[in-house]
Amino acid sequence: NPEPVWAMKGVRLAAAPRVVGGKHLKMTLRAGGKRFEAIAFNYPLSALPEGGIDVAFTLQKNCWNGKTGLQFQVRDIRVAE
């Protein structure tokens, strides 16, 4: 079965994204009063649109530094409509 891909429209960055591993973006997104951790593999910081964005993602389990949680694995980003 194919992995489901979800989308959220009109998402905002809750903090400045940071580059990890030299070419991946780690972001905290904000929508509906909630925050979501996200990672965009092989996504240049310069390609990230300003303002609101629409995000397509899959969910992944993230285990790091003794903590486990869910994070969005970003598949695509575009300027919010």
Side-chain angles (χ1 to χ4, degrees), residues 11-63:
V11 175
R12 296 272 180 187
L13 292 172
R18 63 186 193 278
V19 177
V20 295
K23 58 183 177 178
H24 315 301
L25 287 185
K26 183 77 172 153
M27 301 173 279
T28 302
L29 305 175
R30 186 181 71 223
K34 300 202 183 287
R35 291 175 178 246
F36 306 93
E37 294 301 314
I39 190 156
F41 292 108
N42 300 311
Y43 198 90
L45 183 59
S46 61
L48 193 61
E50 299 272 331
I53 56 176
D54 297 337
V55 179
F57 60 92
T58 58
L59 287 175
Q60 103 181 41
K61 182 178 175 181
N62 181 30
C63 299

